[in-house]
Amino acid sequence: MLQQTYIDRLITTALEEDIHYVDVTSDYLLDDDHTSHAYYLAKDSGVLCGIDIARRVFELVGGAFEMEIHMHDGDQVKKGDIIADMRGSTKTLLKGERTALNILQHMSGIATATDRCVSLVSGTNAQITDTRKTLPGLRQIQKYAVTVGGGKNHRYNLSDGAMLKDNHIDAYGGITPAIAALRKKIGHMVKIEVEVRTLDELQEALSAGADIIMLDNMSCEDMARAVEINAGRVLLEASGNVTESNIRSIAETGVDIISLGALTHSVRCFDISMRIAKEQA
């Protein structure tokens, strides 16, 4: 769920960045009572995400504005589809155009990439999740977009669960003492995930009582062996160098979770344009 206060702060920050004090083009070119009809045109095919946030951008810009939404978050859109129609102040439409599109295209890109990955592992036990590799200030909308694409969220932040990664383990002195130290201090509701790099480390993490184990950059052969060794005792997460070309092979090893930082940190934007219709209101 997206918090409206967060969305409004995000949009306000973006608008203040884009319009310092005046839109030199729109404010000086157009009268305040000038109105237009505009529409969103899909120039790609995939999963739509962020349409209500796009509408909120224009509402916060101010001025008369109405949007008729034809396609909603989670809908599959095709190239050439009209996603929404907008009518109102031309200044409002032009001032909010880029900010609204930046958000809508980015979120739709994440949802579309997630949907592709979910489809690629269909029929296996694996769930697709994101990571904390998000852009500063955008984590909430990026993780929301992953769920719209059919994926699941990993922990939202460092307060959501204990995760012993390689640097924690190396700094503390080993998997077993690190798990023991955490167990003494964390509450009974907090789970511990441990990152392992070898099958020997997997065995140690299991013996030490890890709740979840991340298989870091392992080969598919080693991951399949890890699934056998684990025998369903804890959840196994595959992570590192996951691509669309190898994700099916990883899923077929029997792991429970496949996490991809690329879903949020380097996704391609979904191509959408705002067009002003020739007729004017």
Side-chain angles (χ1 to χ4, degrees):
M1 300 294 293
L2 292 171
Q3 297 294 324
Q4 193 61 51
T5 52
Y6 160 78
I7 294 301
D8 285 359
R9 286 197 305 271
L10 176 66
I11 293 171
T12 299
T13 298
L15 288 173
E16 289 175 349
E17 180 179 67
D18 204 36
I19 309 171
H20 189 200
Y21 60 94
V22 65
D23 175 350
V24 175
T25 309
S26 301
D27 281 326
Y28 293 159
L29 179 67
L30 300 164
D31 294 331
D32 288 342
D33 59 358
H34 193 286
T35 60
S36 292
H37 165 213
Y39 58 92
Y40 278 145
L41 174 68
K43 300 174 69 178
D44 204 347
S45 297
V47 179
L48 184 70
C49 185
I51 188 63
D52 291 316
I53 300 176
R55 173 171 56 189
R56 184 61 175 160
V57 170
F58 295 106
E59 291 173 351
L60 291 179
V61 169
F65 167 79
E66 292 181 354
M67 177 184 280
E68 182 181 1
I69 296 174
H70 307 304
M71 310 191 79
H72 298 271
D73 285 4
D75 286 349
Q76 292 280 348
V77 301
K78 301 185 299 296
K79 184 177 181 178
D81 282 346
I82 303 300
I83 296 168
D85 281 283
M86 297 159 281
R87 289 176 172 82
S89 164
T90 308
K91 285 187 178 182
T92 296
L93 292 171
L94 294 176
K95 287 182 177 182
E97 176 183 3
R98 178 43 50 200
T99 295
L101 281 175
N102 284 348
I103 295 171
L104 182 62
Q105 289 178 305
H106 182 62
M107 293 180 69
S108 297
I110 292 172
T112 298
T114 304
D115 176 68
R116 282 199 303 269
C117 290
V118 169
S119 297
L120 286 169
V121 304
S122 176
T124 71
N125 186 53
Q127 295 182 346
I128 301 300
T129 76
D130 50 32
T131 70
R132 283 172 41 248
K133 295 177 182 177
T134 55
L135 298 175
L138 301 185
R139 181 169 294 177
Q140 193 173 138
I141 63 170
Q142 289 187 313
K143 281 184 170 285
Y144 166 76
V146 168
T147 67
V148 170
K152 298 285 184 70
N153 292 146
H154 211 290
R155 58 179 179 165
Y156 184 79
N157 58 35
L158 295 173
S159 301
D160 283 344
M163 188 168 180
L164 291 167
K165 296 182 72 66
D166 55 355
N167 285 334
H168 296 100
I169 294 165
D170 293 342
Y172 196 78
I175 291 172
T176 301
I179 291 178
L182 278 175
R183 287 287 182 210
K184 292 178 181 178
K185 295 184 178 181
I186 60 175
H188 69 286
M189 296 292 288
V190 181
K191 292 185 177 182
I192 298 176
E193 180 168 5
V194 179
E195 178 182 279
V196 303
R197 294 159 286 190
T198 67
L199 294 178
D200 286 342
E201 288 182 347
L202 169 73
Q203 293 275 22
E204 183 181 357
L206 286 169
S207 298
D211 299 304
I212 308 161
I213 296 177
M214 175 190 286
L215 309 176
D216 180 43
N217 285 292
M218 282 192 182
S219 66
C220 285
E221 291 76 17
D222 281 349
M223 281 190 276
R225 179 63 182 142
V227 171
E228 292 178 4
I229 294 169
N230 178 52
R233 284 178 282 178
V234 304
L235 291 174
L236 293 182
E237 174 185 343
S239 186
N241 292 318
V242 180
T243 66
E244 290 187 12
S245 62
N246 66 13
I247 194 170
R248 180 73 190 188
S249 297
I250 293 171
E252 288 175 347
T253 66
V255 295
D256 303 289
I257 301 159
I258 302 176
S259 58
L260 299 92
L263 292 178
T264 52
H265 70 59
S266 58
V267 71
R268 182 178 69 86
C269 283
F270 187 87
D271 198 358
I272 299 171
S273 288
M274 190 187 91
R275 303 279 178 83
I276 296 287
K278 290 185 178 179
E279 80 277 12
Q280 294 184 352

